[in-house]
Amino acid sequence: MVQTEITLPKGVRDVLPERTAKRNALIRNIVSVFEGCDYREVTTPFLEYLDVITQGAGKDLKKRVVKFTDRATGRSLSLRPDFTPQIARIVATHYREKKKPVRLSYHGSVIRLAEDASGGQKELYQAGVELIGAPSPDADAEVISLAIELLKASGLNDFKIAIGQVDFVRGILDEADLSQSDRAKVLDAISKRDSTLLNEMSTTLTHGDLLIPFQTLLYLFGGEDVLYRRDEKKLITNQRSRDALDNIRTVYESLKHKNLSNYVSVDLCEIRGFDYHTGIIFEGFVNGVGSAICGGGRYDNLLASFGYPSPATGFAIDLDILMLAIERQG
Amino acid sequence: MMTRASKDTLTIALPKGRVMKQALKIFAKIGIEPLENMEESRKLIFDDKKNGLRFLVVKPTDVPTYVEYGAADIGVAGKDVLMEQERDVYEPLDLKIGRCRMMVAEPAALSAKDDPSQWTSIRIATKYPNITEKFFASKGVQVEMIKLYGSIELAPLIGLAERIVDLVETGETLKQNGLVEVEEIMKITSRLIVNRASLKIKGARIAEIIEGLRKEVEGS
């Protein structure tokens, strides 16, 4: 029996030669797909100052950072929780004068505190890209097609990329003009697709009638037809949501034009992502694997928090979930 | 032997027991039915290959786990279990079955001279430490938690804890053990729950099921 003193902390693990070889082969393949699309690989540190790495990040990421104190300065340090703010920092410091857009890729580990009550942390191995300085829907379509190409190149054939637009829900929420606590409740209900909670709220809210669009919202997932509903004029009465719908349509049509629409599903109700997301968001799913295999989206305000406003989009893939999906597919 | 469901199969996790019976009745109304009587069989998996359906019989507290990990696409779980475990699943529909209430209760003798508004620190025996913690934290009351797995009503009778948090259906068990309800934490019913990936991949089929069940539930 192994002595308990030499066990590992929760959420991390050794990777033995056989699996390491498999993983490396997968990474080489991914890097070559990235290179083929002009994304250049960068290496970022595993340690950052907490206040720097969480700049522009919402409270959801801040809560999940593993932190401790720098002995030299007394400042709080953080293990890398996410690559995107690091790439944003790199572009904001080293790429100011360079031609845009900038295409960068990375791969490596991130460490986050577990979301559930287990009290541990979790190490994830990610590979991803960031496309910075490109505001157009074409840029969103570019990174989504890259995600599709990546999953195909990794040997998966039965997957879906579910795309959404965070402004769609935010527009309806703004219009409803809810108190902060009601807004949080509605967001919670939307993220769980909990129509019961919305129903309960409709009796207590001052603008109870505004919950009708939320009820419909819960059903706005599926294929192309979700983007072209006959009742949309009645359903969407604010500009922000309308613009969001136009935006996601443009991205969808662009993907369709590339013959990729059979890999794409639409979910207008999705609000999951990081707080820094500002537009198109997407996640990749494989049948029988319960969690997302990759995820990403547009984050037009993050670079501004590093002193260099610039539109940006990107995504990351979770290597272990990708390997699981490949094994399951057989 | 592993029998993984194919991609055209919809896997439904049902909670063993009384709620399963009621859930099966509602599912049957929209044409989703196992080929054999699940309650009389001791099997745990029921396949209907022709209709692309698979039913799993699991412990009620395990249903959200099966659904979160994608081992089942959809399931039926009590709101008590969902609140306690906070699993990452969608819960689109209240099936309005398995009705009961989550209550704080204490012995009648204690209740007679007790004033809950004066509580600052209490000891509670419960199967639901997470729900209990959150409920009392919102009131600024510190709780010393005694986690039990059953026969919660016993705890105050023998001084293990002064009070309990538990599900109450008719109140008969409380009454027989000399306990009275102090406060309701929430009303409980069973919910239809859905795996995130399944909703994205099998969206049309799942939307149809949610819509069908909604009509049945709200019509009745």
Side-chain angles (χ1 to χ4, degrees):
Chain A
M1 196 172 144
V2 179
Q3 295 168 262
T4 52
E5 297 83 48
I6 59 164
T7 54
L8 284 170
K10 264 189 187 171
V12 299
R13 60 169 167 173
D14 302 314
V15 184
L16 296 181
E18 195 182 312
R19 189 175 168 87
T20 301
K22 268 193 199 166
R23 190 155 94 171
N24 284 348
L26 205 54
I27 291 168
R28 274 196 297 277
N29 195 18
I30 288 170
V31 169
S32 78
V33 172
F34 287 164
E35 278 172 356
C37 297
D38 282 336
Y39 285 83
R40 300 188 62 203
E41 189 179 332
V42 289
T43 308
T44 63
F46 199 47
L47 202 59
E48 293 254 2
Y49 282 123
L50 178 70
D51 54 328
V52 175
I53 193 70
T54 56
Q55 207 131 278
K59 56 178 187 305
D60 57 345
L61 185 63
K62 280 183 187 159
K63 271 196 294 200
R64 299 188 56 194
V65 174
V66 177
K67 46 185 175 282
F68 40 92
T69 309
D70 185 7
R71 290 204 306 184
T73 61
R75 277 173 86 179
S76 291
L77 293 173
S78 154
L79 299 180
R80 174 169 61 216
D82 186 11
F83 278 95
T84 304
Q86 294 191 308
I87 307 288
R89 179 177 48 71
I90 288 175
V91 172
T93 50
H94 300 287
Y95 281 81
R96 279 178 183 256
E97 312 304 329
K98 301 239 167 82
K99 194 168 148 270
K100 302 292 170 322
V102 177
R103 290 180 171 82
L104 297 175
S105 79
Y106 58 81
H107 61 88
S109 289
V110 298
I111 295 240
R112 295 175 189 158
L113 295 175
E115 266 173 305
D116 54 31
S118 68
Q121 50 282 320
K122 180 123 180 107
E123 179 179 13
L124 310 173
Y125 200 96
Q126 293 189 326
V129 297
E130 310 295 348
L131 171 52
I132 291 166
S136 75
D138 283 347
D140 295 291
E142 177 186 326
V143 294
I144 294 171
S145 3
L146 181 54
I148 293 171
E149 196 182 324
L150 197 65
L151 295 178
K152 276 160 72 179
S154 305
L156 290 178
N157 44 42
D158 184 25
F159 61 85
K160 284 267 191 242
I161 303 284
I163 59 173
Q165 224 289 7
V166 290
D167 266 351
F168 188 79
V169 172
R170 285 178 190 164
I172 297 174
L173 276 169
D174 288 350
E175 194 182 20
D177 193 25
L178 305 167
S179 72
Q180 205 151 20
S181 70
D182 281 343
R183 188 182 170 108
K185 257 193 186 168
V186 170
L187 274 172
D188 184 42
I190 289 174
S191 69
K192 289 196 195 123
R193 319 272 158 146
D194 186 346
S195 63
T196 319
L197 185 54
L198 283 178
N199 278 336
E200 281 167 14
M201 288 188 71
S202 65
T203 54
T204 58
L205 283 182
T206 36
H207 303 285
D209 53 326
L210 281 167
L211 283 174
I212 297 161
F214 294 133
Q215 292 288 8
T216 315
L217 198 60
L218 302 182
Y219 283 91
L220 296 184
F221 59 87
E224 189 177 337
D225 48 322
V226 172
L227 296 174
Y228 300 96
R229 286 172 62 103
R230 264 175 300 169
D231 61 348
E232 69 172 68
K233 286 225 165 60
K234 217 174 77 192
L235 187 66
I236 309 154
T237 47
N238 75 85
Q239 197 57 40
R240 194 176 180 185
S241 301
R242 247 188 230 134
D243 291 346
L245 187 59
D246 282 343
N247 176 241
I248 193 171
R249 274 180 189 155
T250 311
V251 172
Y252 185 86
E253 292 302 332
S254 171
L255 292 166
K256 199 172 163 187
H257 188 71
K258 296 179 186 186
N259 284 322
L260 297 174
S261 55
N262 51 327
Y263 293 108
V264 177
S265 73
V266 176
D267 192 346
L268 288 176
C269 182
E270 190 55 70
I271 46 169
R272 176 149 347 185
F274 285 116
D275 290 344
Y276 56 63
H277 284 128
T278 54
I280 294 287
I281 51 168
F282 62 95
E283 284 178 292
F285 293 98
V286 183
N287 187 49
V289 178
S291 44
I293 193 164
C294 65
R298 180 160 284 284
Y299 53 97
D300 285 347
N301 299 331
L302 185 62
L303 273 92
S305 59
F306 291 97
Y308 182 68
S310 183
T313 176
F315 75 91
I317 189 160
D318 184 313
L319 258 293
D320 289 305
I321 299 182
L322 176 62
M323 287 178 79
L324 178 71
I326 293 169
E327 283 159 18
R328 291 231 168 135
Q329 187 178 268
Chain B
M1 181 192 66
M2 183 148 80
T3 55
R4 181 162 290 133
S6 86
K7 75 176 170 112
D8 301 319
T9 303
L10 192 83
T11 303
I12 305 173
L14 294 172
K16 198 180 176 76
R18 196 168 39 90
V19 171
M20 181 166 93
K21 190 175 182 168
Q22 294 171 303
L24 281 170
K25 252 190 212 160
I26 306 177
F27 275 107
K29 286 185 191 160
I30 61 163
I32 294 181
E33 265 180 293
L35 296 174
E36 47 192 307
N37 188 330
M38 285 171 66
E39 290 151 79
E40 281 168 18
S41 172
R42 298 185 72 160
K43 287 199 321 194
L44 300 172
I45 298 184
F46 298 83
D47 277 321
D48 174 358
K49 290 212 171 80
K50 195 168 129 265
N51 293 308
L53 288 171
R54 162 175 279 187
F55 298 86
L56 307 178
V57 182
V58 307
K59 197 169 150 69
T61 48
D62 290 339
V63 172
T65 312
Y66 279 78
V67 174
E68 182 185 26
Y69 286 91
D73 297 299
I74 65 178
V76 174
K79 187 66 186 169
D80 54 325
V81 176
L82 293 168
M83 293 278 287
E84 181 62 23
Q85 301 183 1
E86 299 188 84
R87 295 267 168 196
D88 187 11
V89 294
Y90 292 140
E91 35 184 293
L93 187 63
D94 185 349
L95 294 171
K96 300 186 178 171
I97 54 177
R99 256 179 222 282
C100 52
R101 294 165 301 143
M102 183 75 71
M103 298 292 304
V104 185
E106 63 187 8
L110 174 60
S111 180
K113 53 182 170 82
D114 198 13
D115 177 4
S117 72
Q118 296 300 307
W119 294 351
T120 56
S121 161
I122 53 175
R123 189 157 54 173
I124 297 246
T126 185
K127 262 194 270 187
Y128 302 93
N130 191 24
I131 292 173
T132 305
E133 180 92 51
K134 285 208 166 134
F135 177 72
F136 285 107
S138 72
K139 294 166 163 282
V141 177
Q142 289 285 90
V143 179
E144 184 187 335
M145 205 75 65
I146 313 252
K147 159 99 189 185
L148 295 176
Y149 293 85
S151 303
I152 313 295
E153 296 81 5
L154 182 59
L157 304 184
I158 53 160
L160 182 58
E162 291 71 37
R163 303 175 179 88
I164 64 168
V165 165
D166 204 15
L167 290 183
V168 175
E169 210 185 324
T170 59
E172 193 51 40
T173 314
L174 287 185
K175 205 171 149 195
Q176 288 195 14
N177 289 291
L179 302 175
V180 292
E181 298 175 2
V182 180
E183 194 171 359
E184 180 179 294
I185 296 179
M186 59 180 174
K187 292 192 164 55
I188 306 288
T189 47
S190 292
R191 309 298 168 96
L192 179 77
I193 61 172
V194 178
N195 171 264
R196 289 191 73 230
S198 304
L199 187 94
K200 315 278 181 173
I201 296 171
K202 304 172 183 175
R205 193 169 181 195
I206 288 174
E208 200 181 309
I209 290 173
I210 299 174
E211 204 38 52
L213 291 175
R214 177 191 307 284
K215 282 187 188 134
E216 290 305 327
V217 169
E218 281 167 11
S220 61

mmCIF file of all heavy atoms in Angstrom, chain B residues 6-29:
data_model
loop_
_atom_site.group_PDB
_atom_site.id
_atom_site.type_symbol
_atom_site.label_atom_id
_atom_site.label_comp_id
_atom_site.label_asym_id
_atom_site.label_seq_id
_atom_site.Cartn_x
_atom_site.Cartn_y
_atom_site.Cartn_z
ATOM 1 N N SER B 6 -26.012 4.392 -28.267
ATOM 2 C CA SER B 6 -25.612 5.002 -29.531
ATOM 3 C C SER B 6 -26.113 6.439 -29.560
ATOM 4 O O SER B 6 -26.885 6.860 -28.716
ATOM 5 C CB SER B 6 -26.193 4.231 -30.704
ATOM 6 O OG SER B 6 -27.495 4.707 -30.983
ATOM 7 N N LYS B 7 -25.672 7.171 -30.568
ATOM 8 C CA LYS B 7 -25.982 8.601 -30.555
ATOM 9 C C LYS B 7 -27.449 8.894 -30.851
ATOM 10 O O LYS B 7 -27.939 9.974 -30.614
ATOM 11 C CB LYS B 7 -25.078 9.353 -31.531
ATOM 12 C CG LYS B 7 -25.435 9.186 -32.975
ATOM 13 C CD LYS B 7 -24.537 10.060 -33.814
ATOM 14 C CE LYS B 7 -24.701 9.722 -35.276
ATOM 15 N NZ LYS B 7 -25.319 10.767 -36.048
ATOM 16 N N ASP B 8 -28.145 7.900 -31.416
ATOM 17 C CA ASP B 8 -29.563 8.128 -31.685
ATOM 18 C C ASP B 8 -30.444 7.686 -30.523
ATOM 19 O O ASP B 8 -31.660 7.751 -30.593
ATOM 20 C CB ASP B 8 -29.970 7.382 -32.955
ATOM 21 C CG ASP B 8 -29.136 7.847 -34.136
ATOM 22 O OD1 ASP B 8 -28.901 9.062 -34.227
ATOM 23 O OD2 ASP B 8 -28.700 7.003 -34.935
ATOM 24 N N THR B 9 -29.802 7.198 -29.470
ATOM 25 C CA THR B 9 -30.567 6.756 -28.309
ATOM 26 C C THR B 9 -30.695 7.889 -27.302
ATOM 27 O O THR B 9 -29.751 8.633 -27.070
ATOM 28 C CB THR B 9 -29.846 5.576 -27.632
ATOM 29 O OG1 THR B 9 -29.674 4.548 -28.594
ATOM 30 C CG2 THR B 9 -30.643 5.039 -26.453
ATOM 31 N N LEU B 10 -31.870 7.993 -26.728
ATOM 32 C CA LEU B 10 -32.070 8.957 -25.658
ATOM 33 C C LEU B 10 -32.125 8.175 -24.342
ATOM 34 O O LEU B 10 -32.940 7.284 -24.188
ATOM 35 C CB LEU B 10 -33.383 9.711 -25.879
ATOM 36 C CG LEU B 10 -33.530 10.924 -24.969
ATOM 37 C CD1 LEU B 10 -32.781 12.109 -25.569
ATOM 38 C CD2 LEU B 10 -34.988 11.268 -24.781
ATOM 39 N N THR B 11 -31.219 8.508 -23.429
ATOM 40 C CA THR B 11 -31.156 7.777 -22.159
ATOM 41 C C THR B 11 -31.819 8.585 -21.050
ATOM 42 O O THR B 11 -31.516 9.766 -20.868
ATOM 43 C CB THR B 11 -29.691 7.473 -21.795
ATOM 44 O OG1 THR B 11 -29.105 6.743 -22.873
ATOM 45 C CG2 THR B 11 -29.601 6.649 -20.522
ATOM 46 N N ILE B 12 -32.738 7.939 -20.343
ATOM 47 C CA ILE B 12 -33.528 8.612 -19.303
ATOM 48 C C ILE B 12 -33.238 7.966 -17.951
ATOM 49 O O ILE B 12 -33.447 6.769 -17.780
ATOM 50 C CB ILE B 12 -35.036 8.488 -19.611
ATOM 51 C CG1 ILE B 12 -35.325 9.019 -21.031
ATOM 52 C CG2 ILE B 12 -35.869 9.224 -18.561
ATOM 53 C CD1 ILE B 12 -36.746 8.781 -21.499
ATOM 54 N N ALA B 13 -32.735 8.733 -16.991
ATOM 55 C CA ALA B 13 -32.463 8.210 -15.648
ATOM 56 C C ALA B 13 -33.651 8.493 -14.747
ATOM 57 O O ALA B 13 -34.074 9.642 -14.601
ATOM 58 C CB ALA B 13 -31.204 8.851 -15.074
ATOM 59 N N LEU B 14 -34.204 7.430 -14.144
ATOM 60 C CA LEU B 14 -35.371 7.596 -13.274
ATOM 61 C C LEU B 14 -35.028 7.195 -11.843
ATOM 62 O O LEU B 14 -34.244 6.275 -11.625
ATOM 63 C CB LEU B 14 -36.527 6.746 -13.803
ATOM 64 C CG LEU B 14 -37.087 7.181 -15.164
ATOM 65 C CD1 LEU B 14 -38.082 6.156 -15.685
ATOM 66 C CD2 LEU B 14 -37.737 8.556 -15.071
ATOM 67 N N PRO B 15 -35.620 7.902 -10.885
ATOM 68 C CA PRO B 15 -35.322 7.599 -9.485
ATOM 69 C C PRO B 15 -36.156 6.420 -8.993
ATOM 70 O O PRO B 15 -37.379 6.453 -9.034
ATOM 71 C CB PRO B 15 -35.740 8.882 -8.763
ATOM 72 C CG PRO B 15 -36.838 9.451 -9.613
ATOM 73 C CD PRO B 15 -36.584 9.022 -11.025
ATOM 74 N N LYS B 16 -35.466 5.384 -8.553
ATOM 75 C CA LYS B 16 -36.126 4.191 -8.035
ATOM 76 C C LYS B 16 -37.131 4.576 -6.946
ATOM 77 O O LYS B 16 -36.818 5.376 -6.077
ATOM 78 C CB LYS B 16 -35.033 3.316 -7.421
ATOM 79 C CG LYS B 16 -35.393 1.874 -7.211
ATOM 80 C CD LYS B 16 -34.163 1.181 -6.600
ATOM 81 C CE LYS B 16 -34.479 -0.250 -6.266
ATOM 82 N NZ LYS B 16 -34.510 -1.106 -7.453
ATOM 83 N N GLY B 17 -38.326 4.018 -7.023
ATOM 84 C CA GLY B 17 -39.308 4.290 -5.971
ATOM 85 C C GLY B 17 -40.607 4.896 -6.495
ATOM 86 O O GLY B 17 -40.915 4.804 -7.684
ATOM 87 N N ARG B 18 -41.296 5.555 -5.583
ATOM 88 C CA ARG B 18 -42.635 6.051 -5.878
ATOM 89 C C ARG B 18 -42.656 7.110 -6.991
ATOM 90 O O ARG B 18 -43.546 7.136 -7.837
ATOM 91 C CB ARG B 18 -43.223 6.632 -4.595
ATOM 92 C CG ARG B 18 -44.710 6.846 -4.603
ATOM 93 C CD ARG B 18 -45.184 7.138 -3.193
ATOM 94 N NE ARG B 18 -44.212 8.007 -2.500
ATOM 95 C CZ ARG B 18 -44.268 9.334 -2.516
ATOM 96 N NH1 ARG B 18 -45.228 9.949 -3.148
ATOM 97 N NH2 ARG B 18 -43.363 10.051 -1.886
ATOM 98 N N VAL B 19 -41.656 7.984 -6.975
ATOM 99 C CA VAL B 19 -41.622 9.043 -7.990
ATOM 100 C C VAL B 19 -41.465 8.449 -9.389
ATOM 101 O O VAL B 19 -42.020 8.956 -10.362
ATOM 102 C CB VAL B 19 -40.509 10.076 -7.674
ATOM 103 C CG1 VAL B 19 -40.335 11.051 -8.833
ATOM 104 C CG2 VAL B 19 -40.850 10.840 -6.405
ATOM 105 N N MET B 20 -40.724 7.327 -9.473
ATOM 106 C CA MET B 20 -40.532 6.692 -10.777
ATOM 107 C C MET B 20 -41.871 6.288 -11.384
ATOM 108 O O MET B 20 -42.130 6.491 -12.559
ATOM 109 C CB MET B 20 -39.621 5.477 -10.658
ATOM 110 C CG MET B 20 -39.378 4.792 -11.988
ATOM 111 S SD MET B 20 -38.020 3.615 -11.930
ATOM 112 C CE MET B 20 -38.922 2.119 -11.575
ATOM 113 N N LYS B 21 -42.726 5.735 -10.547
ATOM 114 C CA LYS B 21 -44.049 5.288 -10.995
ATOM 115 C C LYS B 21 -44.829 6.470 -11.581
ATOM 116 O O LYS B 21 -45.403 6.391 -12.659
ATOM 117 C CB LYS B 21 -44.780 4.693 -9.788
ATOM 118 C CG LYS B 21 -46.050 3.975 -10.135
ATOM 119 C CD LYS B 21 -46.630 3.328 -8.883
ATOM 120 C CE LYS B 21 -47.891 2.568 -9.234
ATOM 121 N NZ LYS B 21 -48.314 1.704 -8.143
ATOM 122 N N GLN B 22 -44.810 7.586 -10.831
ATOM 123 C CA GLN B 22 -45.544 8.768 -11.292
ATOM 124 C C GLN B 22 -44.911 9.361 -12.555
ATOM 125 O O GLN B 22 -45.610 9.799 -13.462
ATOM 126 C CB GLN B 22 -45.572 9.825 -10.190
ATOM 127 C CG GLN B 22 -46.370 9.388 -8.974
ATOM 128 C CD GLN B 22 -46.210 10.358 -7.825
ATOM 129 O OE1 GLN B 22 -45.090 10.636 -7.368
ATOM 130 N NE2 GLN B 22 -47.311 10.904 -7.346
ATOM 131 N N ALA B 23 -43.572 9.357 -12.587
ATOM 132 C CA ALA B 23 -42.869 9.908 -13.749
ATOM 133 C C ALA B 23 -43.179 9.073 -14.988
ATOM 134 O O ALA B 23 -43.449 9.616 -16.062
ATOM 135 C CB ALA B 23 -41.371 9.948 -13.487
ATOM 136 N N LEU B 24 -43.162 7.742 -14.835
ATOM 137 C CA LEU B 24 -43.448 6.870 -15.976
ATOM 138 C C LEU B 24 -44.845 7.118 -16.544
ATOM 139 O O LEU B 24 -45.056 7.058 -17.747
ATOM 140 C CB LEU B 24 -43.307 5.401 -15.554
ATOM 141 C CG LEU B 24 -41.869 4.882 -15.492
ATOM 142 C CD1 LEU B 24 -41.816 3.511 -14.834
ATOM 143 C CD2 LEU B 24 -41.240 4.835 -16.883
ATOM 144 N N LYS B 25 -45.786 7.420 -15.653
ATOM 145 C CA LYS B 25 -47.159 7.715 -16.095
ATOM 146 C C LYS B 25 -47.174 8.947 -17.011
ATOM 147 O O LYS B 25 -47.851 8.965 -18.033
ATOM 148 C CB LYS B 25 -48.031 8.006 -14.871
ATOM 149 C CG LYS B 25 -49.010 6.893 -14.554
ATOM 150 C CD LYS B 25 -49.990 7.368 -13.494
ATOM 151 C CE LYS B 25 -50.404 6.195 -12.632
ATOM 152 N NZ LYS B 25 -50.948 6.632 -11.343
ATOM 153 N N ILE B 26 -46.442 9.987 -16.605
ATOM 154 C CA ILE B 26 -46.421 11.213 -17.418
ATOM 155 C C ILE B 26 -45.696 10.969 -18.741
ATOM 156 O O ILE B 26 -46.159 11.372 -19.799
ATOM 157 C CB ILE B 26 -45.737 12.377 -16.659
ATOM 158 C CG1 ILE B 26 -46.399 12.589 -15.301
ATOM 159 C CG2 ILE B 26 -45.808 13.667 -17.482
ATOM 160 C CD1 ILE B 26 -45.751 13.674 -14.463
ATOM 161 N N PHE B 27 -44.553 10.272 -18.662
ATOM 162 C CA PHE B 27 -43.817 9.977 -19.893
ATOM 163 C C PHE B 27 -44.675 9.147 -20.851
ATOM 164 O O PHE B 27 -44.643 9.344 -22.070
ATOM 165 C CB PHE B 27 -42.511 9.244 -19.583
ATOM 166 C CG PHE B 27 -41.359 10.159 -19.231
ATOM 167 C CD1 PHE B 27 -40.891 10.268 -17.929
ATOM 168 C CD2 PHE B 27 -40.744 10.915 -20.229
ATOM 169 C CE1 PHE B 27 -39.830 11.113 -17.612
ATOM 170 C CE2 PHE B 27 -39.680 11.763 -19.925
ATOM 171 C CZ PHE B 27 -39.217 11.864 -18.611
ATOM 172 N N ALA B 28 -45.453 8.205 -20.301
ATOM 173 C CA ALA B 28 -46.284 7.346 -21.145
ATOM 174 C C ALA B 28 -47.291 8.162 -21.948
ATOM 175 O O ALA B 28 -47.608 7.835 -23.090
ATOM 176 C CB ALA B 28 -47.011 6.318 -20.276
ATOM 177 N N LYS B 29 -47.753 9.266 -21.346
ATOM 178 C CA LYS B 29 -48.747 10.106 -22.038
ATOM 179 C C LYS B 29 -48.179 10.746 -23.291
ATOM 180 O O LYS B 29 -48.913 11.125 -24.200
ATOM 181 C CB LYS B 29 -49.249 11.202 -21.097
ATOM 182 C CG LYS B 29 -50.192 10.668 -20.039
ATOM 183 C CD LYS B 29 -50.741 11.819 -19.221
ATOM 184 C CE LYS B 29 -51.470 11.305 -17.991
ATOM 185 N NZ LYS B 29 -51.600 12.332 -16.973
#
